[in-house]
Each structure stands twice: as structure tokens, then as C-alpha cells.
């Protein structure tokens, strides 16, 4: 973890988000990104969907079991235990990668309707690519890249950053990219992204770190989880990072609105 943290922290300071004043008359929607490390709890569900009332939640590493039916059953059980109505949400699950849980995206039905696209490029630890079927609602790409662990995973990490930059971000300029990138925006090909800007940059520089959660001060963390918003299209009404106690990642809670 020390070696990996050292790799990820290099160059992690980013410019500020190019924000504008929030329009109180404009509708907004809420996003959560949380690598739950296969430890998501009913308390997490209550926080994300009950208290925060999120519209879009991207959950890398939700469930390590390869069966999507098993994952859906687990989600239903967690919603029931949290006293949150599961029937108000659509659940989309990625293919199952090797050796790690996939990506799960949960969307409130009353917010928008999406169809899952199966033919798009994916990083090593997979993605959920949702095409919006609702006017004025963006398409969503929830993803999880491989970490830059020395050895064979380093090559996958570099390939994933190229995929995110060249094939997911730059070819989908109106989509929102959410998830665990296992990189800050100064790593590899992520520096070539011109179509999007990182919502984390709305926070002060030393408050943007999402990993690792520990007893150390927040400025020792590095920003490897992101919400990339199409450039000059959105303002951020509110953003916070929260330790949900079940993972070594902070959760990103963000409310945005169209400019």
C-alpha cells in the first residue's frame, strides 16, 4: 500500500473546477461514487439512498460473486434491511473481471431511464455504460481501472488510462464518467482529456484525496476516485467526501446541475 500510495500521489494537485454561480431555479441531481471493497452494508445503503437520496450511484467492487442474479439478491436484501424501497431503482451490473468484483450502478427510476451498452471499450476491472433515454439527462459511464501495482498490473493500468482517455472520455464528451480510476488526473493518458473536468477540483487542493482511508490526515490521501463532468456543461451545487467505514476509499457525494 505504501508503494502504491507513492505512485498515485505524484502530481496529484489539480487546477480548480471552472464553476459558475448555481441557479436556484435549475433542477439538480445527485451522484455518489464509492468503491465499497465488497463490504457495502445496509447502513451504507441508508446513507446513500435514504439520507442523501442519490440519483446515480456507481459502486466498483460491490460483489465478488460472478452471478449477477446473486448480486441483485444481495442488493435487494441490503435495501430491505435499510428500509429503502428497492423497486424505485434500476440496477446495472458489469461483466465479472478476473480476481476482483465488478462495477454496479444503481439509478433512481424517477430520475431517468437508461439502457446498458455492452459493446463499448472497458478497462480491466470493467465498466457499466449507460445510454440515457431521457431528455436533458446525460449518459453515464461507471468504471474501475486496474491499480499501478509493479509487475503485470502496471501494463494493464497504463492501458486502462489510455482506454479512459481516448475511448471513453474523448469519444463521449457529453457523458459523465464516474468511478475508481486508480489514478489522479496527472497520470498517463488522463492528462490528454480535454472534454471533461474533474468535479473533485471544486474542493480545496488538500481536501480532494479519496484513498487510502486511515488515521492519517486527509492531505495524505490521493484523489483516485473521480466524477468527470463534461466541460463547461455543469455547475457543482454541493460536494463532500465521506468515510462510510466499510472501505479504504472515501465516498464522493456530489450534487450538480446543468448550466
Amino acid at each position: 500500500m505504501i508503494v502504491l500510495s507513492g505512485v498515485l500521489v505524484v502530481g496529484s494537485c489539480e487546477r480548480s473546477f471552472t464553476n459558475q454561480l448555481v441557479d436556484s431555479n435549475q433542477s439538480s441531481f445527485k451522484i455518489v461514487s464509492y468503491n465499497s471493497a465488497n463490504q457495502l452494508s445496509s447502513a451504507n445503503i441508508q446513507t446513500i439512498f435514504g439520507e442523501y437520496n442519490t440519483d446515480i450511484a456507481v459502486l466498483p467492487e460491490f460483489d465478488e460473486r460472478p452471478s449477477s442474479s446473486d448480486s441483485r439478491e444481495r442488493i435487494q436484501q441490503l435495501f430491505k434491511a435499510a428500509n429503502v424501497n428497492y423497486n424505485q431503482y434500476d440496477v446495472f451490473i458489469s461483466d465479472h473481471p478476473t480476481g476482483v468484483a465488478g462495477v454496479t450502478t444503481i439509478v433512481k427510476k424517477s430520475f431517468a431511464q437508461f439502457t446498458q451498452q455492452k459493446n463499448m471499450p472497458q478497462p480491466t476491472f470493467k465498466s457499466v455504460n449507460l445510454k440515457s433515454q431521457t431528455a436533458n439527462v446525460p449518459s453515464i459511464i461507471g468504471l474501475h481501472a486496474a491499480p499501478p501495482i509493479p509487475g503485470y498490473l502496471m501494463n494493464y493500468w497504463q492501458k486502462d488510462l489510455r482506454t479512459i482517455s481516448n475511448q471513453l472520455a474523448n469519444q463521449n464528451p457529453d457523458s459523465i464518467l464516474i468511478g475508481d480510476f486508480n489514478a489522479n488526473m496527472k497520470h498517463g493518458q488522463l492528462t490528454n482529456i480535454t472534454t471533461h473536468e474533474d468535479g473533485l477540483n471544486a474542493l480545496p487542493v488538500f481536501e480532494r484525496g479519496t484513498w487510502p482511508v486511515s488515521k492519517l490526515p486527509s492531505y495524505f490521501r490521493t484523489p483516485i476516485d473521480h466524477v468527470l463532468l463534461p466541460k463547461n456543461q455543469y455547475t457543482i451545487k454541493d460536494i463532500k467526501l465521506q468515510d462510510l467505514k466499510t472501505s479504504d476509499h472515501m465516498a464522493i457525494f456530489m450534487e450538480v446541475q446543468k448550466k
Side-chain angles (χ1 to χ4, degrees):
M1 181 176 287
I2 293 172
V3 173
L4 183 56
S5 182
V7 171
L8 292 172
V9 77
V10 174
S12 61
C13 290
E14 300 283 330
R15 63 187 183 278
S16 297
F17 188 85
T18 54
N19 220 335
Q20 294 181 352
L21 293 176
V22 172
D23 183 355
S24 60
N25 296 318
Q26 179 77 12
S27 63
S28 62
F29 57 95
K30 295 179 177 181
I31 298 168
V32 169
S33 176
Y34 182 49
N35 183 326
S36 53
N38 196 33
Q39 299 294 322
L40 199 74
S41 69
S42 58
N44 297 157
I45 294 291
Q46 175 58 38
T47 299
I48 295 170
F49 298 99
E51 297 172 18
Y52 193 65
N53 194 28
T54 191
D55 297 293
I56 305 161
V58 173
L59 307 170
E61 291 194 61
F62 167 72
D63 195 341
E64 64 186 0
R65 293 173 294 183
S67 169
S68 60
S69 61
D70 287 343
S71 293
R72 291 179 190 278
E73 181 180 353
R74 181 181 171 200
I75 294 168
Q76 287 179 298
Q77 292 170 348
L78 290 174
F79 268 79
K80 183 177 181 180
N83 197 29
V84 178
N85 188 353
Y86 172 82
N87 294 324
Q88 293 180 354
Y89 297 88
D90 285 323
V91 177
F92 302 92
I93 301 172
S94 74
D95 297 332
H96 190 70
T98 301
V100 68
V103 177
T104 298
T105 297
I106 303 176
V107 182
K108 188 190 296 180
K109 291 179 180 178
S110 61
F111 167 62
Q113 299 298 307
F114 295 90
T115 56
Q116 188 169 358
Q117 308 296 294
K118 293 288 192 177
N119 57 348
M120 291 179 66
Q122 297 194 31
T124 302
F125 292 165
K126 305 304 180 182
S127 62
V128 172
N129 304 292
L130 302 180
K131 183 174 178 59
S132 174
Q133 304 299 313
T134 303
N136 300 317
V137 172
S139 295
I140 304 295
I141 301 174
L143 61 90
H144 187 192
I149 295 175
Y152 80 98
L153 275 177
M154 183 67 75
N155 293 329
Y156 283 100
W157 178 70
Q158 293 169 339
K159 177 178 178 293
D160 286 351
L161 301 192
R162 290 194 297 271
T163 297
I164 292 169
S165 174
N166 301 337
Q167 297 175 286
L168 296 181
N170 291 333
Q171 292 184 18
N172 298 278
D174 297 321
S175 297
I176 297 178
L177 278 64
I178 306 168
D180 181 359
F181 290 49
N182 265 313
N184 68 58
M185 297 306 294
K186 292 295 185 181
H187 279 129
Q189 293 293 310
L190 297 188
T191 60
N192 295 336
I193 294 176
T194 59
T195 52
H196 294 71
E197 52 189 339
D198 188 3
L200 283 182
N201 293 344
L203 291 169
V205 170
F206 292 111
E207 297 179 16
R208 300 173 186 173
T210 63
W211 179 90
V213 172
S214 69
K215 295 181 180 179
L216 295 173
S218 61
Y219 49 78
F220 281 96
R221 295 195 297 263
T222 186
I224 64 172
D225 303 89
H226 302 279
V227 177
L228 299 191
L229 299 167
K231 199 165 188 177
N232 300 319
Q233 293 190 34
Y234 293 91
T235 56
I236 296 177
K237 187 174 182 179
D238 186 45
I239 179 174
K240 64 179 179 179
L241 303 183
Q242 185 171 342
D243 180 6
L244 297 185
K245 308 297 184 182
T246 51
S247 172
D248 57 350
H249 289 250
M250 300 288 283
I252 302 172
F253 290 79
M254 185 183 299
E255 185 173 2
V256 304
Q257 65 179 202
K258 192 80 172 174
K259 288 185 179 180

